[in-house]
Amino acid sequence: MPELAEVEFIRRRWDPGLGHVIATVRLHPRARVLRGVDCARLARRLASARLESSAAAAKQILFRLTAADGEALWLGIHLGMTGELRVRPAGLPDAKSEHLILDQPAAGQSLVFADPRMFGRVQFHAGSTAPEWWTQLAPAVTSPEFTLEAVSEFLRRRARAPIKAVLLMQQRFPGIGNWMADEILWRAAIHPARRCGELSPAEVKKLHRETVWVAREALRIIGAADTAAAWPDPPATWLFQHRWEDGGLCPRTKKPLERAEIGGRTTCWSPARQTLA
DNA sequence: TCCTATGTTGTATG
DNA sequence: ACATACAACATAGG
């Protein structure tokens, strides 16, 4: 159930495949994750292609490949709620929910994209220029383009919406998902149901700062972790560790946390430090 | 049986 | 056209 840092972690799972040639491609064309993809063309082009590099931005993963005839190929993976990448030794049977399998027999392995719930998706593009679904992503929250002014302007245009819902909007907060949004609001001491238009300039500034901080720390703790094991959780000083516990306590105030649906998603906050109005 | 789930998108309404 | 709200997608697990 990946957000910014988990996506980066999962991206690196296919690192053992870099520099190796794909011999065969196996896929299940009826799987929802392949909606809109020309599966026959994808399979034909990726066969004999070499995996060159990968990158992650927002919740999107991009793999760059070179076809046997030299053409540049671009494979996109979005993990949705339950998507996962793995590398499996060659010859093992396919498991359930494995929708795209790239066999690299010379390396003795297969690269696998699995997604039981199938909210994720695969995208494919051939040609020398990067596809729009990659180039059109909003600037990363860890980049210099993610300015306080950009955030202020974005919130101004969504004055009536609860801040929790707006933090989930990928056009301005790429990579932020449900747990990161709750973590940011908790650190910024802003109640998730507050309307964007009523936040003070000081609160918006705090929100901007905590967004960058949470993203950086999550990338450091989760995104850079050893991919041989499961991804690590942030420390117990974070809201993250307590948000699903029954009777969970705020790690700062030690007072009870509250949960409710806000902006269409289950939201956790600390009433002792996040108040309305 | 019923409820929940770290995401996105299409559609309806204002 | 734009902002907002919400059902729908599909499956597994408590």
Side-chain angles (χ1 to χ4, degrees), chain A residues 179 183 186-187 213-214 217-218 220-222 232-243 245 251:
Chain A
W179 81 252
E183 189 74 37
W186 174 72
R187 288 173 183 274
W213 189 88
V214 168
E217 283 299 290
R220 186 177 67 78
I221 297 165
I222 301 167
D233 285 343
T237 51
W238 289 41
L239 175 66
F240 180 95
Q241 293 254 354
H242 311 276
R243 58 197 304 272
E245 290 169 20

Side-chain angles (χ1 to χ4, degrees), chain A residues 126-224:
Chain A
S128 55
T129 56
E132 271 199 7
W133 46 259
W134 178 256
T135 58
Q136 296 302 106
L137 290 172
V141 300
T142 53
S143 74
E145 295 101 300
F146 183 75
T147 60
L148 173 60
E149 291 66 38
V151 170
S152 303
E153 169 59 19
F154 193 76
L155 299 198
R156 194 156 39 242
R157 291 223 315 269
R158 287 162 183 81
R160 309 265 316 156
I163 181 60
K164 168 63 186 275
V166 171
L167 265 178
L168 295 174
M169 293 182 180
Q170 303 296 296
Q171 315 106 273
R172 180 46 66 197
F173 300 98
I176 303 301
N178 204 27
W179 81 252
M180 289 182 84
D182 285 358
E183 189 74 37
I184 290 161
L185 291 170
W186 174 72
R187 288 173 183 274
I190 296 170
H191 191 290
R194 296 274 304 283
R195 308 274 148 180
C196 292
E198 66 191 22
L199 297 179
S200 72
E203 286 174 319
V204 175
K205 188 169 182 177
K206 188 93 174 122
L207 180 85
H208 172 262
R209 192 193 306 266
E210 297 300 344
T211 300
V212 175
W213 189 88
V214 168
R216 286 232 167 88
E217 283 299 290
L219 284 167
R220 186 177 67 78
I221 297 165
I222 301 167

Side-chain angles (χ1 to χ4, degrees), chain A residues 72-111:
Chain A
L73 307 176
W74 315 76
L75 178 69
I77 301 276
H78 193 295
L79 301 171
M81 290 276 263
T82 53
E84 195 187 351
L85 300 180
R86 346 188 229 257
V87 174
R88 163 148 62 60
L92 292 187
D94 297 353
K96 206 173 168 187
S97 306
E98 297 187 343
H99 310 298
L100 176 68
I101 300 152
L102 311 179
D103 295 314
Q104 296 183 317
Q109 66 194 13
S110 298
L111 312 179

